[in-house]
Amino acid sequence: MAAGVACDFCREDQLEMECCRGGLLPRSAATGLPGLLLLPDGEEDRISALPDDMLLKILARLGCARAAAHTGLLARRWRGLWARLPELTFHRIAPAPLDAALAMVARPAPSLLDIHFFNHHGFEPARVSSLLRAAAALAPSEFVLHVTGGIQPGPVELPCFNRTTSIKLDLFCVCFTLPPAGGIPVLESLHLENGHIDGADMLPLCPRLRKLWALDWKSDSVVLHSEALEDLAVYATRQIRHIDIVAPAVKKLYLVAHYGVRKEFSLSFSAPAVEDLTWKCETKAISYRFGVIWRMWSLTFSTFLQPLGNNQLANNSEIMPSQAQHRRVGVLSLNLETNVYSGDAAMTFEQEIHRFQVTDFSILELDLTQRGHVYGAIVLHLIGLCTSIQKLKVTLDEYTMGDACYAVCLCDQPNNWRSQSISLIDLRAKLIAAPAAGA
C-alpha cells in the first residue's frame, strides 16, 4: 500500500473523491517523498500513544483503505494498522496492488470488504474469478465488488463464501457459474446489479437467503422456488417466455419484463404473504397493438397494504378494534399510444390482462398519448372491463392535445360509444387531467 499504487487514470479519479484524497499526500519538492507531519522539537506525539483500538477508530473515520495505509508514512506506530480495520474500502485501485493489499489483511475477517475498479482496467473472467476467491478466503460479513465494464466474455465462478451474509456484485455483462462443491450457507442477501446467475440452481445452495435482487436477468425463463425468500426483485433484459415463482414467505416482490413477453408466455405465481407487489411488462423494443389504432407501451400491476380508517373498521364486524388492520389495494396502470401501423385485431386488452393475471384492483390509471385522436372509445372500453374500480385517473399527453385526426377515423369506433353508459357504483374519486408543462 505504498504511494503510487494506482495508475494515472485511477489517481485522477481518486483526487475527485474526498475520502481518497486523504491517501494521496503531496510530494516534498526537496525529497520527492510524501510530505510528513512534523512536530516541534521535544513535543510528544500523544495521538500515536493512544491504544490500537482508539487508533483504529480514527482510521475508520477516513473511509478509505488507501488513506488509512498512508498514515504509516507519518509514524511507524501507525504502520500496518489499516490491515486490522473492521471495514475496508478500496476505491479505484489497480488489480496488482489490490492482490498485495488483500494478502496483508489481518484476521479476524473484516465485517465489510468493498472494492471498486474503474472501467479502463481490462479483466479476463479467470482474473475476476481469482479475485472473488481471494475475497471469499477473507470471509467478510459483507462483500461488495464493482467493476464498471472491461470484462471479457466468459463465465465467472462464484466461490463458496462460507461466512458471508451479504454480497453485492456489479460486474457488467457477466454470467456467474456456481461452485462445483459446497454452497453459501449463511448468505442472507444477494444483490446482482449487473450479471446473471441461474436462480433455480443457486437457491438450493443458499438455504438462508432472504433477499434476492437480480437486475440483469438474461434468461427467457424466470423459475424461482424458495421457502425463505422475503424480498425478491427481478429485472429481465430478455423477452420472457415463462415465469414460475413459488415463494410463500415473500413480502416484497418487484418483477419487470423490460422487453415484454412472448406470444406463448405463461405465468405461474404463488406468494400468499406478499404485501408490496409490482409486476410490470414494458415494451421498449416492441409494442402490443390492439385493433387498428391503439398500442400498449407498458402494463404495471401493483398492490400495497393500506391502513383501514375508523369508519371502515366500524363497518366490518369481523375486525377487532384493538388490531392493526389493513386492506390490500390493487393498482392497474396502462401506458397507451395511438398506433400508426395496422395492429392485430384478434388481440384484446381483456386477453392481455388475463394473461398477466391482473386481478382484484380498485385503482385504474391510464396514461394516453392520443396525438389528436378520439380517446373516449378506448377509455370507455377499459372502464367497462373494470366496473369495480374505486378511483380512476386519466392523463393526456399535453403536447398532442392540439392536433386533430381525420374527419372519419378508426379511433372513433365503435361509433355508438357516445350513447353508451356504464355503472360504476364503487367509484369514489375521478380525475381526468392533462399535466401542466414541467409537471
Side-chain angles (χ1 to χ4, degrees):
M1 295 294 290
V5 297
C7 67
D8 292 340
F9 291 108
C10 286
R11 188 177 178 86
E12 291 178 2
D13 291 317
Q14 293 158 11
L15 286 170
E16 297 178 358
M17 304 178 68
E18 183 176 354
C19 62
C20 289
R21 280 201 301 269
L24 299 174
L25 302 178
R27 294 183 180 275
S28 168
T31 65
L33 298 175
L36 302 181
L37 177 62
L38 300 178
L39 296 172
D41 291 341
E43 184 170 331
E44 182 183 1
D45 181 2
R46 296 183 179 181
I47 295 180
S48 294
L50 294 172
D52 286 359
D53 290 346
M54 187 64 69
L55 294 179
L56 287 171
K57 289 182 179 180
I58 296 175
L59 294 181
R61 297 295 296 271
L62 296 175
C64 176
R66 179 184 296 101
H70 275 85
T71 61
L73 298 172
L74 304 178
R76 293 181 180 179
R77 174 74 174 80
W78 295 72
R79 292 179 185 175
L81 281 178
W82 71 269
R84 295 164 52 188
L85 284 171
E87 296 184 358
L88 290 172
T89 300
F90 297 93
H91 289 135
R92 308 298 194 250
I93 186 171
L98 176 65
D99 292 337
L102 294 181
M104 297 171 63
V105 175
R107 302 299 192 276
S111 60
L112 169 65
L113 178 60
D114 191 348
I115 302 171
H116 293 248
F117 286 113
F118 205 50
N119 57 7
H120 58 267
H121 289 296
F123 290 93
E124 296 182 354
R127 182 68 181 85
V128 180
S129 298
S130 175
L131 174 60
L132 290 173
R133 287 193 295 271
L138 294 176
S141 299
E142 181 179 357
F143 175 58
V144 180
L145 175 62
H146 291 268
V147 181
T148 55
I151 301 178
Q152 299 177 11
V156 171
E157 181 180 323
L158 187 67
C160 296
F161 284 83
N162 293 323
R163 291 189 292 273
T164 302
T165 59
S166 175
I167 297 176
K168 182 177 181 179
L169 302 174
D170 185 359
L171 285 77
F172 186 70
C173 291
V174 164
C175 288
F176 293 97
T177 61
L178 297 171
I184 313 179
V186 300
L187 185 66
E188 297 180 358
S189 175
L190 176 61
H191 186 135
L192 300 177
E193 188 70 27
N194 287 293
H196 174 73
I197 194 169
D198 191 323
D201 292 338
M202 180 203 64
L203 287 176
L205 303 180
C206 309
R208 296 178 58 180
L209 191 64
R210 301 290 185 269
K211 178 179 180 179
L212 172 61
W213 283 23
L215 304 185
D216 188 18
W217 193 271
K218 294 185 178 300
S219 172
D220 67 352
S221 180
V222 180
V223 179
L224 296 169
H225 293 190
S226 171
E227 298 290 331
L229 275 179
E230 298 178 359
D231 188 346
L232 173 62
V234 176
Y235 190 95
T237 54
R238 293 288 187 273
Q239 199 174 16
I240 295 299
R241 173 182 54 84
H242 175 60
I243 295 177
D244 180 9
I245 295 178
V246 178
V250 75
K251 297 180 179 179
K252 185 176 182 180
L253 174 61
Y254 179 80
L255 180 62
V256 175
H258 183 63
Y259 289 99
V261 299
R262 297 185 180 182
K263 287 186 176 181
E264 66 275 16
F265 170 73
S266 63
L267 172 63
S268 176
F269 172 75
S270 176
V274 68
E275 298 175 355
D276 186 350
L277 165 68
T278 298
W279 161 219
K280 185 172 186 178
C281 178
E282 297 180 333
T283 55
K284 302 298 183 183
I286 59 174
S287 61
Y288 296 103
R289 301 185 177 95
F290 300 87
V292 291
I293 193 63
W294 291 97
R295 60 183 172 184
M296 181 176 70
W297 284 112
S298 70
L299 178 151
T300 304
F301 177 62
S302 60
T303 65
F304 60 93
L305 293 182
Q306 183 182 72
L308 290 173
N310 293 332
N311 292 336
Q312 292 169 309
L313 288 172
N315 293 332
N316 191 337
S317 60
E318 297 180 359
I319 297 177
M320 300 296 294
S322 61
Q323 295 177 340
Q325 297 295 332
H326 297 78
R327 70 184 181 98
R328 188 179 304 279
V329 177
V331 182
L332 174 62
S333 302
L334 299 175
N335 188 320
L336 308 177
E337 182 182 29
T338 51
N339 180 22
V340 296
Y341 303 103
S342 297
D344 185 355
M347 293 180 65
T348 65
F349 283 106
E350 297 96 318
Q351 292 172 342
E352 290 306 290
I353 293 174
H354 176 74
R355 190 163 70 136
F356 295 142
Q357 294 192 17
V358 175
T359 59
D360 193 21
F361 58 92
S362 57
I363 299 176
L364 176 62
E365 299 177 343
L366 304 177
D367 190 347
L368 305 178
T369 302
Q370 77 278 14
R371 304 186 188 281
H373 289 277
V374 174
Y375 60 88
I378 187 64
V379 171
L380 192 68
H381 173 67
L382 292 171
I383 293 176
L385 302 177
C386 317
T387 56
S388 62
I389 60 173
Q390 298 178 3
K391 182 178 180 180
L392 169 65
K393 179 179 180 180
V394 180
T395 303
L396 307 179
D397 185 356
E398 60 170 324
Y399 300 106
T400 62
M401 289 181 63
D403 299 336
C405 61
Y406 299 106
V408 179
C409 183
L410 295 173
C411 66
D412 204 23
Q413 294 182 4
N415 53 22
N416 65 339
W417 67 270
R418 291 178 175 83
S419 61
Q420 296 180 5
S421 62
I422 296 176
S423 177
L424 302 174
I425 59 176
D426 296 321
L427 189 64
R428 300 177 183 177
K430 180 179 180 181
L431 174 62
I432 300 180

